[in-house]
Amino acid sequence: MMRFRTVTSPHVLLDASVGQVMRRVLYAMLPGVAALVWFFGWGVLVNLVIATAVALAAETAMLAARGKPLAPHLGDFSAVVTAWLLAVALPPLAPWWLTAIGVLSAIVVAKHLYGGLGYNPFNPAMIGYVVLLISFPREMSTWLIPHGVGQTQAMTLVETLRAIFVGLPEVDGLTGATPLDVLRTQMGLGLSVAEIRNSPVFGLVSGHGWEWAALGFLLGGLWLVYSRAADWRIPAGMLGGLAIISTVFYLINPQQYAPPWFHLWSGAAIFGAFFIATDPVTASATPRGRLIYGAGIGILVYIIRAFGGYPDGVAFSVLLMNIAAPTIDLYTQPRVFGARRG
Amino acid sequence: MSESGYLKILKDGLWTQNTGFVALLGLCPLLATSNSVVNGLGLGLATTLVLLICNVAVSLIRKLVRPEVRIPVFVMVIACAVTAVELAMHAFLPGLYTVLGIFIPLIVTNCCVIGRAEAFAFKNGVVKSAVDGIATGLGFMLALVLLGAIREILGQGTLLGQADLLFGEWGKGLTLHLIDDYRGFLLAILPPGAFIGLGCLIAIKNVLDARARRRAAAQPATVLQEAEV
């Protein structure tokens, strides 16, 4: 028997449904997640599992409450992507309720109360992250020391589960500050950037361990851009904006401002550029607007890191530019073919 | 004046035209001082007192004031009432006065005060205006206390904390610690918690109203059926 495959029109380059794009985002996160697991242990995976379970439960409950069909909305993986984006940003030994509150804020408040996928003005994962950051500053800044720094032994799966579900054992040297935290506090003590970078948490370019995770996310992100699941303009704009402003300040005073390559590889810059800022619902929609939107995030990230009250600012910057996105779209609408210029 | 008229005024102030949930007037103090039950109760009482004084005063002078200059006159009356209430609180409730701070003098800018003067007291008699002032004030207090309770429970795990500020020494015993060793959900205390909490309360009120309407719509039908039987 012959089978005829239906082929889409030749001018349609991408046969992407929402579910397909979301699945690609999940695949693209795998290298970065693998690096995080290698350096920070089982906690990363446990967080992913908790977040996914809570997200699916919350999505099901909200869809049922709103009288929407379950199968198409659960099958588009958007809740799973939100959960993963949030879980990766959490400390590896975050207590289970921290992850749950973050995911519930993201799915219930930021997504469904605003009308569900496609109607939410703010990036749900970042809303969840910011809710946790301002509500539980102590839990959110308790990061594990990466594998390979200090004398700590890697935690077993059982120890990790106990830490997450019962409580963190009071062991010195298990947790520590992130590189951006170290940079911020030491800078307050009057040390120069070069002196601070001798600290063991720093690796070749930025933080030890973190730089490999950033490389993993860069690889995944480049594949996302290559497969057109994400528009190149947003990461290009964001990393470009961050690079330009950090270079300017580095040239003004290299003692006081960290070099641009450090900023690009630190914190959530790469991850945010490719995975968070590129959320098609909350980002700007026009080609020029996406460059401006990305650059705005990059510049805000630098301003928050260098002059603000928090060590990293990707979440706040993304949310601030989410507010600006409709205005950017209004002023960057492409000229209709044949319409007059100006 | 029929009794149902007063009942309607009370019902409007407390529920149908509630300042906090329906008219959304005076959002600034509502959102800013509702981080605990005691703060909400304190500001609610102060606002109720101001509303009562202003409504009575405006109703008394309504025939003497030309309509062209009524707004400046309202403003003067309200400013006097707020100043009197502020000085009284400073004298008798210094602790609460310190906690509420700028929001007591800011009652003067609460739109619901001038709103009731313009919409009700200027057109109605003294007794009705007094009832309206109390009803509107209690409605505002209801919103403040409900929102304050939600934010205090979520944010600190207590209810009626710092009650001694309002009730004196014996108020210390009123504080309920609902959850021992509660870490505190800081977001509920911070300004976003006020917006999210108020949004949820308005949603709940709308659901209750919709349910009541549906029941009211179903009522005549059942009456008819009973009549047929």
Side-chain angles (χ1 to χ4, degrees):
Chain A
M1 195 176 86
M2 275 183 72
R3 290 188 63 133
F4 292 98
R5 268 188 70 217
T6 33
V7 182
T8 51
S9 316
H11 59 274
V12 176
L13 294 168
L14 194 68
D15 56 337
S17 63
V18 175
Q20 199 152 19
V21 172
M22 294 293 172
R23 273 200 303 279
R24 280 192 183 145
V25 174
L26 293 180
Y27 297 148
M29 282 173 73
L30 290 177
V33 168
L36 281 176
V37 172
W38 170 259
F39 284 103
F40 296 101
W42 291 103
V44 181
L45 284 182
V46 179
N47 277 351
L48 282 175
V49 172
I50 297 174
T52 310
V54 176
L56 288 176
E59 179 92 357
T60 311
M62 286 308 283
L63 287 172
R66 296 176 59 213
K68 301 266 174 189
L70 291 182
H73 290 281
L74 280 177
D76 70 8
F77 288 91
S78 62
V80 181
V81 168
T82 301
W84 279 36
L85 292 177
L86 178 62
V88 165
L90 293 178
L93 287 187
W96 63 271
W97 50 264
L98 193 76
T99 315
I101 290 177
V103 173
L104 287 178
S105 316
I107 300 286
V108 176
V109 179
K111 188 176 170 193
H112 280 291
L113 290 189
Y114 280 101
L117 185 69
Y119 295 93
N120 47 320
F122 299 107
N123 189 316
M126 289 303 99
I127 291 275
Y129 183 79
V130 165
V131 164
L132 297 178
L133 191 64
I134 64 175
S135 299
F136 309 99
R138 196 164 61 89
E139 282 81 0
M140 287 299 282
S141 54
T142 313
W143 267 84
L144 277 180
I145 290 178
H147 180 61
V149 175
Q151 300 297 317
T152 50
Q153 292 240 307
M155 292 175 86
T156 63
L157 180 58
V158 177
E159 283 172 343
T160 308
L161 287 173
R162 185 179 301 149
I164 288 174
F165 285 99
V166 180
L168 203 59
E170 294 295 324
V171 182
D172 276 347
L174 191 64
T175 59
T178 63
L180 282 169
D181 269 326
V182 173
L183 188 69
R184 158 169 299 273
T185 46
Q186 306 270 42
M187 203 77 93
L189 300 173
L191 294 174
S192 75
V193 172
E195 287 168 319
I196 296 167
R197 298 235 9 227
N198 287 328
S199 160
V201 283
F202 293 100
L204 298 170
V205 189
S206 65
H208 181 92
W210 277 278
E211 56 196 11
W212 292 100
L215 181 68
F217 287 124
L218 177 66
L219 288 177
L222 287 176
W223 177 70
L224 269 189
V225 168
Y226 173 76
S227 67
R228 301 200 190 192
D231 190 342
W232 63 271
R233 291 175 185 86
I234 295 173
M238 173 170 164
L239 296 176
L242 181 58
I244 289 170
I245 188 170
S246 55
T247 309
V248 168
F249 278 94
Y250 183 63
L251 291 178
I252 292 173
N253 186 354
Q255 288 294 304
Q256 205 187 337
Y257 298 104
W261 51 90
F262 175 82
H263 274 291
L264 287 176
W265 280 102
S266 288
I270 300 268
F271 178 64
F274 285 100
F275 290 91
I276 295 168
T278 51
D279 171 23
V281 178
T282 56
S284 179
T286 61
R288 255 192 316 150
R290 287 181 164 178
L291 278 173
I292 298 171
Y293 169 84
I297 296 175
I299 290 167
L300 282 172
V301 166
Y302 186 81
I303 291 172
I304 293 174
R305 279 183 185 176
F307 311 108
Y310 284 92
D312 202 356
V314 172
F316 291 114
S317 312
V318 167
L319 293 179
L320 284 170
M321 291 309 287
N322 282 166
I323 306 177
T327 316
I328 296 174
D329 283 350
L330 185 69
Y331 287 105
T332 56
Q333 277 179 12
R335 190 172 56 93
V336 178
F337 182 73
R340 277 171 188 275
R341 284 181 193 279
Chain B
M1 193 62 237
S2 69
E3 203 172 55
S4 66
Y6 289 109
L7 270 181
K8 187 180 179 306
I9 295 172
L10 273 174
K11 200 180 166 221
D12 275 356
L14 282 171
W15 189 258
T16 324
Q17 299 290 328
N18 187 300
T19 323
F21 296 144
V22 180
L24 297 183
L25 293 175
L27 277 187
C28 165
L30 176 64
L31 296 171
T33 62
S34 61
N35 47 12
S36 74
V37 174
V38 170
N39 285 355
L41 202 59
L43 193 85
L45 283 174
T47 310
T48 308
L49 202 55
V50 169
L51 271 163
L52 177 63
I53 297 171
C54 293
N55 267 13
V56 170
V58 167
S59 176
L60 281 173
I61 60 172
R62 70 184 195 278
K63 301 226 167 84
L64 307 173
V65 177
R66 292 188 60 81
E68 292 87 347
V69 294
R70 68 187 192 286
I71 300 291
V73 171
F74 294 164
V75 172
M76 297 294 286
V77 169
I78 295 166
C80 292
V82 170
T83 311
V85 169
E86 186 197 353
L87 289 173
M89 282 186 80
H90 199 170
F92 299 112
L93 300 166
L96 192 66
Y97 178 83
T98 321
V99 173
L100 291 178
I102 185 70
F103 289 101
I104 302 170
L106 275 182
I107 296 174
V108 83
T109 62
N110 191 334
C111 316
C112 83
V113 181
I114 201 165
R116 292 327 289 175
E118 163 76 4
F120 197 94
F122 201 64
K123 298 167 188 157
N124 287 286
V126 177
V127 184
K128 274 180 94 176
S129 299
V131 173
D132 178 73
I134 293 172
T136 310
L138 289 181
F140 189 58
M141 195 161 82
L142 177 77
L144 273 164
V145 170
L146 273 182
L147 193 55
I150 292 175
R151 292 176 68 190
E152 193 179 340
I153 291 170
L154 281 180
Q156 300 173 344
T158 64
L159 204 56
L160 284 168
Q162 292 184 306
D164 50 312
L165 290 179
L166 194 59
F167 303 113
E169 272 305 303
W170 68 274
K172 279 190 179 147
L174 286 176
T175 305
L176 296 172
H177 290 276
L178 298 175
I179 308 158
D180 288 328
D181 194 27
Y182 186 61
R183 280 160 200 274
F185 187 34
L186 220 57
L187 184 84
I189 300 288
L190 293 170
F195 282 97
I196 298 170
L198 181 65
C200 292
L201 283 176
I202 293 174
I204 292 170
K205 181 187 179 295
N206 287 348
V207 168
L208 290 178
D209 282 349
R211 194 167 294 169
R213 266 199 304 279
R214 231 175 296 134
R215 209 174 304 140
Q219 206 74 30
T222 50
V223 171
L224 268 181
Q225 281 172 352
E226 282 167 1
E228 280 170 3
V229 170

